[in-house]
Amino acid sequence: MNYFEFYELPLQFHPDLNVVKSKFYAFSKKFHPDFYANESEEKQQEVLDLSTLNNKAYQTLSNPAKLLKYVLELKGVVQTDEHYQLPQTFLMEMMDVNEALMDMEFEPDASKLLTVQAEVDAIEEKLFGELKNLTDLFDQTGGNENTLLAIKDLFYRQKYLNRIRERLPKG
């Protein structure tokens, strides 16, 4: 059973977070292991499994990054350990950022760091806007394969940018 089915929600990139939270709290009470202490081992294990499912469902559906990956996996568009080939245009754009980061490893430069951070922020903001538009379209129309493939591409671009952000010097 997937998390959307568990919470009786339609498969969406933007589920109603109030419903997610209320389902989580309701199931947390319903499947609390303490209420089943006198039951059989099988029943206790079943409740523990449902409690675990509830926690994982909430953690995934309430976290936009986890949710994005989860929906793409459910739709069969993204596989674990997939080696996705990013578009050359994006990689060329990122080459300048990577070169600047390598330069700063040898010669720290506060003004150059601010420039690179601003560039990464701008790219990230543009990707977020495109992703929001496409995921909203999917939620409204049920999406199609082209929409899902475009979302997948933006998902991998975001992952790439996250790795660059981790390399940015702090301060």
Side-chain angles (χ1 to χ4, degrees):
M1 175 181 301
N2 74 49
Y3 303 150
F4 292 98
E5 291 169 352
F6 185 63
Y7 281 173
E8 299 173 326
L9 293 168
L11 191 142
Q12 295 182 318
F13 286 101
H14 307 285
D16 184 331
L17 293 179
N18 291 324
V19 173
V20 170
K21 189 180 279 189
S22 68
K23 291 280 189 176
F24 171 72
Y25 287 127
F27 287 158
S28 291
K29 289 177 187 174
K30 181 177 180 180
F31 302 125
H32 197 285
D34 290 349
F35 296 139
Y36 297 87
N38 295 327
E39 297 287 337
S40 68
E41 273 190 45
E42 293 82 22
K43 184 66 174 176
Q44 287 180 22
Q45 187 59 52
E46 177 188 335
V47 168
L48 183 60
D49 291 345
L50 289 168
S51 178
T52 301
L53 177 62
N54 184 42
N55 287 322
K56 287 181 179 180
Y58 181 74
Q59 289 170 6
T60 300
L61 298 181
S62 62
N63 178 309
K66 289 180 181 180
L67 176 60
L68 176 64
K69 183 179 182 201
Y70 184 70
V71 171
L72 290 173
E73 286 174 342
L74 283 178
K75 294 303 268 179
V77 179
V78 168
Q79 281 79 39
T80 306
D81 298 328
E82 178 177 5
H83 298 290
Y84 182 72
Q85 182 62 47
L86 288 163
Q88 283 302 118
T89 53
F90 178 76
L91 293 173
M92 294 300 288
E93 191 178 2
M94 293 296 98
M95 194 164 69
D96 294 336
V97 173
N98 280 311
E99 286 176 4
L101 286 173
M102 284 179 16
D103 290 346
M104 282 189 286
E105 287 177 16
F106 299 107
E107 292 180 41
D109 181 337
S111 65
K112 193 172 192 177
L113 175 60
L114 289 175
T115 303
V116 171
Q117 284 175 329
E119 189 175 343
V120 170
D121 289 346
I123 295 166
E124 200 169 53
E125 191 173 310
K126 181 178 178 241
L127 288 179
F128 180 78
E130 291 175 29
L131 188 58
K132 175 87 171 90
N133 290 339
L134 286 170
T135 55
D136 284 347
L137 176 66
F138 177 90
D139 287 356
Q140 293 163 7
T141 66
N144 61 34
E145 189 173 342
N146 289 335
T147 303
L148 283 170
L149 292 175
I151 293 169
K152 172 183 180 174
D153 182 67
L154 293 170
F155 166 74
Y156 280 107
R157 289 178 193 222
Q158 275 189 329
K159 282 183 71 165
Y160 190 97
L161 273 178
N162 288 341
R163 287 193 301 271
I164 285 181
R165 190 164 292 289
E166 289 170 4
R167 290 182 50 215
L168 284 171
K170 309 294 183 247

